[in-house]
Amino acid sequence: MAGVFDIELHEGDSINQDESDQSDDDIVESREDEYNHTTSVNSILQSDNLERVQLSEENVNAGQEKTGPQDFELCKILGEGGYGKVFQVKKVTGKDKGSIFAMKVLRKASIIRNQKDTAHTKAERNILEAVKHPFIVNLMYAFQTGGKLYLILEYLCGGELFTYLDREGIILEDTACFYLSEIILALQHLHNQGIIYRDLKPENILLDGEGHVKLTDFGLCKEHIEEGTVTHTFCGTIEYMAPEILTRSGHGKAVDWWSLGALMFDMLTGMPPFIGDDRRKTIEKILRGKLSLPLYLTPDAKDLIQKLLKRQVSQRLGSGPDDAEQIINHNFFKHINWQDVISRKLEPPFKPSIKSADDTSQFDEQFTATVPVDSPVESTLSESANMIFQGFTYVAPSVLEEMCAQPRVVNARSPRKGILNTEFSGNLHSLSARSPDTHLRTASHFSHQHRYFQP
């Protein structure tokens, strides 16, 4: 299989490059007096003064730690999807021996059936490497075998924000303000890197052991989105999707602020703002339904939700060049010290009840009670197909720095229950289910969300 992907052009993109726009790397200055035309390559190779070294894994990229499945002990299953599983694992080798991580395993054969799935998987890995932020999950390692891709992520023992919201039903505005402030800074950082998140929802927001937020699952992100450019891919989770994604009229970073408004409404009322009896009716309500706000919400909360859920993108808070700053300066956050937020100095309103670093009590027992097995791959890809994933391997800088530091020897009932009941991915017009699932989530995600991806 050839490594060819669809190229999605954005408005404002140009396929022609003016000579004046060439980078310095494209310009090579030639000076005849610096090159000896009489030198023979053969004479250099035959010289007795050359040291000959056999190339091997031991002397090529020797500073990079070699990791593989054998370096991790499977502890628990945290989630499962059509393309693979998420495990809790323990590192059994190296300087970080004994550390607990989450290991996301993806089957190559399932991914490469669709070029868009392949492109999004590679984009997720690249984004995780490039983006480092207090409220975004950290990628520690990435490696591959003949049939699988492995992403080793920090283990977030607090579980999903969805679990907490599902248990509480609704939360106070001060509590919502805490979570929203950390999420806003994470989205702002992504936007500053030219990335749209496009799948903001409670299932994709994890809590660490202290109760702080971490965004995860970057499979639907879009890279290289600058101010004024739009993309047209139909993807996301229906209940949190912005109207411009549903209509495929072209969307930019403002879709994340619509999703933030939907999430805020969900936190304060117990369900997303636009819910129908089926997917078509939900979409119809998102496009044309009236926004009804409970009387118990404060004026500031109502105003922020209304401004985030504007169907006209130009009127939506955060849609301008100031992006997150418009939201940060809203009166709903008037008591927030944003420097304290980014420094993680605010006290989380909920601290997960964790007994140890490897505690899995905040995850669904449907998975954690199952014996963890990394199933063998039925078939191995051809060499040409495997070339698609060239460059997937990664070791976090923090791990490399540690290696270099020392000599290296080679129960209230939630109104959410029963509302969002099935996750789908496929063609909007046919509204048919597609399995397998593109990216991994835990059990609650499989049973509560309509997630779409249409190239």
Side-chain angles (χ1 to χ4, degrees):
M1 175 179 176
V4 180
F5 297 94
D6 294 336
I7 298 176
E8 188 171 10
L9 295 181
H10 312 296
E11 293 181 10
D13 287 352
S14 173
I15 61 175
N16 295 320
Q17 183 183 33
D18 187 86
E19 290 183 2
S20 61
D21 294 332
Q22 291 180 341
S23 72
D24 292 339
D25 294 336
D26 298 327
I27 302 173
V28 179
E29 295 183 2
S30 176
R31 299 182 182 179
E32 293 187 3
D33 58 340
E34 292 183 357
Y35 181 73
N36 186 350
H37 294 272
T38 63
T39 302
S40 168
V41 174
N42 289 331
S43 64
I44 294 176
L45 295 176
Q46 294 171 4
S47 171
D48 293 332
N49 296 326
L50 289 180
E51 179 185 2
R52 290 169 173 78
V53 178
Q54 182 68 35
L55 296 181
S56 67
E57 289 188 0
E58 283 68 35
N59 55 33
V60 176
N61 296 328
Q64 180 169 319
E65 182 177 4
K66 303 296 188 297
T67 55
Q70 71 282 353
D71 297 306
F72 299 89
E73 174 189 341
L74 302 182
C75 301
K76 300 279 189 178
I77 297 179
L78 302 177
E80 187 170 352
Y83 285 179
K85 299 177 182 178
V86 175
F87 297 95
Q88 181 202 65
V89 296
K90 179 186 292 185
K91 188 83 163 14
V92 295
T93 61
K95 298 296 184 182
D96 50 356
K97 179 180 179 180
S99 298
I100 302 297
F101 299 107
M103 182 170 77
K104 185 173 182 177
V105 186
L106 302 169
R107 290 192 294 271
K108 291 181 181 178
S110 299
I111 295 170
I112 65 171
R113 291 172 186 164
N114 186 295
Q115 290 182 349
K116 283 288 185 179
D117 289 347
T118 309
H120 278 259
T121 300
K122 295 173 70 175
E124 177 179 21
R125 176 253 179 263
N126 293 337
I127 288 169
L128 284 169
E129 176 184 354
V131 175
K132 304 299 177 187
H133 192 270
F135 306 127
I136 294 176
V137 65
N138 285 319
L139 175 67
M140 306 307 297
Y141 299 92
F143 51 86
Q144 60 181 303
T145 61
K148 293 183 178 181
L149 302 173
Y150 293 81
L151 293 172
I152 307 298
L153 308 162
E154 64 175 318
Y155 174 60
L156 300 169
C157 56
E160 296 175 354
L161 179 63
F162 176 90
T163 303
Y164 172 62
L165 296 179
D166 188 53
R167 182 172 61 246
E168 296 296 318
I170 61 176
I171 60 177
L172 299 174
E173 289 188 14
D174 286 348
T175 301
C177 188
F178 170 86
Y179 292 124
L180 292 170
S181 64
E182 294 191 340
I183 293 166
I184 288 168
L185 293 187
L187 292 175
Q188 181 185 43
H189 183 71
L190 290 174
H191 290 183
N192 288 341
Q193 305 298 315
I195 299 167
I196 316 177
Y197 186 54
R198 297 200 297 194
D199 204 15
L200 183 66
K201 58 186 175 185
E203 291 83 351
N204 284 348
I205 302 165
L206 298 184
L207 303 179
D208 63 17
E210 297 178 1
H212 290 283
V213 157
K214 290 271 189 175
L215 289 190
T216 188
D217 197 342
F218 292 83
L220 296 186
C221 286
K222 183 64 182 177
E223 301 174 279
H224 313 303
I225 299 295
E226 303 303 331
E227 187 65 33
T229 64
V230 297
T231 184
H232 295 82
T233 304
F234 183 93
C235 64
T237 300
I238 291 294
E239 289 79 9
Y240 300 90
M241 284 169 66
E244 60 267 31
I245 296 182
L246 294 171
T247 59
R248 301 197 68 162
S249 56
H251 62 269
K253 299 173 184 177
V255 298
D256 285 339
W257 302 129
W258 171 282
S259 298
L260 184 79
L263 176 64
M264 179 179 177
F265 187 99
D266 190 352
M267 288 177 172
L268 298 177
T269 69
M271 64 184 69
F274 302 105
I275 293 292
D277 295 333
D278 55 39
R279 285 158 290 157
R280 287 187 180 276
K281 291 180 180 178
T282 296
I283 292 170
E284 181 68 22
K285 286 191 175 184
I286 292 173
L287 296 179
R288 283 173 280 275
K290 180 181 178 181
L291 177 64
S292 298
L293 295 168
L295 296 176
Y296 60 78
L297 295 181
T298 64
D300 286 340
K302 291 179 181 178
D303 185 69
L304 179 55
I305 291 173
Q306 288 174 329
K307 289 179 176 177
L308 290 172
L309 295 180
K310 290 288 186 182
R311 292 187 174 95
Q312 291 294 326
V313 178
S314 61
Q315 298 177 14
R316 189 178 306 156
L317 197 67
S319 65
D322 291 337
D323 194 49
E325 289 299 323
Q326 293 184 323
I327 303 167
I328 287 171
N329 292 325
H330 189 275
N331 213 38
F332 182 75
F333 299 105
K334 60 180 177 289
H335 299 303
I336 291 292
N337 182 320
W338 291 94
Q339 187 56 50
D340 286 346
V341 175
I342 194 65
S343 301
R344 292 167 53 96
K345 291 182 179 179
L346 297 187
E347 185 71 23
F350 164 70
K351 184 175 177 62
S353 179
I354 303 300
K355 296 179 181 179
S356 60
D358 61 350
D359 194 319
T360 59
S361 60
Q362 302 302 312
F363 292 88
D364 199 313
E365 287 187 5
Q366 173 186 344
F367 293 122
T368 58
T370 305
V371 177
V373 177
D374 188 10
S375 306
V377 178
E378 297 177 358
S379 60
T380 303
L381 300 184
S382 65
E383 183 177 350
S384 60
N386 260 312
M387 287 298 293
I388 294 174
F389 301 104
Q390 189 175 17
F392 190 84
T393 301
Y394 170 78
V395 178
S398 58
V399 177
L400 293 175
E401 289 169 5
E402 185 177 337
M403 291 164 55
C404 294
Q406 301 180 21
R408 184 169 188 263
V409 180
V410 165
N411 201 338
R413 181 71 172 177
S414 168
R416 292 177 180 79
K417 291 288 188 182
I419 294 176
L420 313 177
N421 49 28
T422 312
E423 177 174 329
F424 285 88
S425 180
N427 189 293
L428 173 61
H429 304 292
S430 65
L431 291 174
S432 59
R434 185 193 77 177
S435 92
D437 184 22
T438 304
H439 298 281
L440 301 179
R441 287 155 299 278
T442 53
S444 56
H445 186 100
F446 290 117
S447 59
H448 291 83
Q449 295 298 333
H450 302 140
R451 193 187 199 205
Y452 281 84
F453 173 75
Q454 179 181 333

